[in-house]
Structure formats: structure tokens, C-alpha cells
Amino acid sequence: MKTLKVVKIGGNIIDDDIALANFLEGFATIEGSKILVHGGGKLATKMAKSMNIEVQMVDGRRITDADTLDIITMVYGGKINKNIIAQLQANKCNSVGFTGADGNVIVSEKRPVKTIDYGFVGDVKHVNTKVPKVLLENDITPVFCAITHNENGQLLNTNADTVTSELAIAFADLYQVELYYCFEKDGVLLDVDDANSVIEDINTSNYATLKADGVITDGMLPKLDNCFHAISNHVHKVCLGKPEMLFNQNTKHTTIQA
């Protein structure tokens, strides 16, 4: 089986022009098949505020009303995605930008209202690999933003970490998939105030302990839940850390194990 690297970059890379340029220059040099997924929540928030559109967050999750969805579509699917594509082309990495609606790749359903109505937020139901598979086979890199659709004409804001793990799982029957979540820290930290306290290996057993002890909380929980979802669905390798781990496996990072 050929290897496929599925890489997600977060807002702290996207929001820093120099960091993004450096990352994309390095990403372009990765040999073999690869997919890039990006978020962009901070820029979307900035844009919304500049247009006097209220930003509503509940437990770190964005409430996506119709106006907010318009902003997200413009920022994620437009400004950020096309900027990344242009920079990859400049680095001789042929690439094509996607929302989940393009090629009918990622189908979601609107999150049902329980205690909170999140608005136009999607939960992934199915990934169609046909179109990106053709691109990968022709040395073209798909670049996904975190927008999906419901096959009935409705775009949906979708968690970028979830989009990444679902793409990785969908390709696990076709490739030996390596999944990388790149962000500003060296990995998952035992002590959030100590940048050197990286937990290098997390498995199902110690993950439960780390959660019970309150070591892993808040925004890191859904990210790690996506990691374990991927590793339990035949994704070969799952890593979290700074982008340097893509180019040097000796760089300190966190590896997820079953």
C-alpha cells in the first residue's frame, strides 16, 4: 500500500503569514500523496466583527447562523483556501481547493437541536473518495476547508479536526494513512504551563486516566476524540505537534496508539 499523509493545520499557523508561508514551503516538499485540511476560525471571527455580525460561542463551539455561515464560506472557502492554493502552486505543489460540496466529497447532516441550537453546523455522515483519489493518483494535492454540505443545497460549518479524521478514515482502505494534527505546541502537554511536558504516547488506557485527572480538558478533548476515532478505524498512524514533526520524526510530538 502507498502512504497517504493527511495533515491539518490550525489557526495559529494560518493567522501568521510567515508561519503559514514557511509551513507551505515545507509541506510542498513532502514526497508522495498528501491531503491538507485547514480551519480559520480566528480570521472568520475578525471578519464578522468588522461587519458588525455577532460572534456567538458556547463551550468553544461557534453558533453558525445564516450571516455567520456567509462569513465562514467567504473566509474558509475563499480567502484562506485560495491563498493556500496560490502559495502551494508557487512552491511547485500542484493543488486543488475543496469544500465538502465540491465533488460531493463530504456529506453532512445539520446537527440536531438538543439543549443548544448550533445553527448551520454539520456532522459528517459520509466521505466520497472518488474525486480526490483521481487527483492523488495524478500527483495533485487536495486542500480542504472545514465546510461540508447536506446534498440538498445547504452548506454546513463543520469541525476541521473532524473533517480531517473522517478523510483519513475514508482513505484507510486505499492507502496506509498517516494523520498529523499540526499546531503551535510540541504535542499534548502534561502541564499546560510547561512547554516541555509533552506526553509522547497516549493510548486508550492512559487517555481515560488523563481525562479523569483533569489533565486533558476543553478544546483538546474533541481533538483527541477524533484521533482515537481515526486510530480505531484503520488509520495507520496519528500524531500531534508542531509542523516540524512532518519532516523529522525525531522531533518531539505526541503519538496516539490503540
Side-chain angles (χ1 to χ4, degrees), residues 51-66:
M51 298 175 70
N52 295 318
I53 294 172
E54 183 182 3
V55 177
Q56 301 176 72
M57 306 289 286
V58 177
D59 295 331
R61 296 183 181 272
R62 187 184 302 269
I63 304 296
T64 306
D65 59 16

Side-chain angles (χ1 to χ4, degrees), residues 8-11 14 37-41 76 80 144-146 160:
K8 189 259 179 174
I9 52 173
I14 293 165
V37 184
H38 65 83
Y76 293 7
I80 295 174
F144 284 87
C145 68

Side-chain angles (χ1 to χ4, degrees), residues 179-181 183 186-188 198-204 206-207 210 224 227-228 231 235-241 245 249-258:
L179 172 55
Y180 297 90
Y181 285 104
F183 59 122
D186 285 324
V188 181
V198 176
I199 307 169
E200 295 191 14
D201 296 289
I202 300 178
N203 56 38
T204 306
N206 67 359
Y207 182 42
L210 290 166
L224 285 171
C227 291
F228 279 102
I231 208 77
V235 173
H236 178 69
K237 180 191 288 187
V238 180
C239 301
L240 304 93
M245 67 179 169
Q249 283 293 301
N250 292 322
T251 301
K252 187 176 288 188
H253 63 276
T254 298
T255 300
I256 304 300
Q257 300 174 340

Side-chain angles (χ1 to χ4, degrees), residues 58-117:
V58 177
D59 295 331
R61 296 183 181 272
R62 187 184 302 269
I63 304 296
T64 306
D65 59 16
D67 288 339
T68 301
L69 183 63
D70 286 345
I71 293 290
I72 284 169
T73 303
M74 288 188 287
V75 173
Y76 293 7
K79 180 176 175 58
I80 295 174
N81 190 267
K82 299 315 162 193
N83 177 48
I84 287 173
I85 296 296
Q87 291 196 54
L88 286 176
Q89 300 293 4
N91 284 288
K92 310 304 180 189
C93 175
N94 198 5
S95 52
V96 174
F98 279 88
T99 67
D102 296 296
N104 194 35
V105 178
I106 308 174
V107 177
S108 295
E109 67 177 4
K110 187 174 178 291
R111 183 171 297 166
V113 178
K114 295 179 181 178
T115 55
I116 299 168
D117 184 356

Side-chain angles (χ1 to χ4, degrees), residues 171-256:
F171 277 99
D173 290 336
L174 304 171
Y175 291 86
Q176 181 171 280
V177 178
E178 299 179 358
L179 172 55
Y180 297 90
Y181 285 104
C182 297
F183 59 122
E184 73 279 6
K185 298 185 185 301
D186 285 324
V188 181
L189 302 180
L190 188 62
D191 178 356
V192 293
D193 296 319
D194 181 1
N196 295 313
S197 64
V198 176
I199 307 169
E200 295 191 14
D201 296 289
I202 300 178
N203 56 38
T204 306
S205 177
N206 67 359
Y207 182 42
T209 302
L210 290 166
K211 287 195 291 184
D213 291 346
V215 173
I216 298 175
T217 58
D218 304 327
M220 191 55 71
L221 281 172
K223 188 183 293 290
L224 285 171
D225 286 344
N226 278 305
C227 291
F228 279 102
H229 178 52
I231 208 77
S232 65
N233 281 279
H234 312 298
V235 173
H236 178 69
K237 180 191 288 187
V238 180
C239 301
L240 304 93
K242 289 181 179 177
E244 287 78 7
M245 67 179 169
L246 287 168
F247 318 110
N248 181 1
Q249 283 293 301
N250 292 322
T251 301
K252 187 176 288 188
H253 63 276
T254 298
T255 300
I256 304 300

Side-chain angles (χ1 to χ4, degrees), residues 89-153:
Q89 300 293 4
N91 284 288
K92 310 304 180 189
C93 175
N94 198 5
S95 52
V96 174
F98 279 88
T99 67
D102 296 296
N104 194 35
V105 178
I106 308 174
V107 177
S108 295
E109 67 177 4
K110 187 174 178 291
R111 183 171 297 166
V113 178
K114 295 179 181 178
T115 55
I116 299 168
D117 184 356
Y118 284 99
F120 296 104
V121 168
D123 294 322
V124 176
K125 304 305 294 180
H126 184 66
V127 175
N128 301 301
T129 60
K130 182 178 180 180
V131 173
K133 180 174 179 286
V134 171
L135 296 179
L136 291 168
E137 289 171 347
N138 287 277
D139 298 320
I140 300 171
T141 298
V143 178
F144 284 87
C145 68
I147 297 172
T148 60
H149 78 131
N150 69 352
E151 291 188 301
N152 290 305

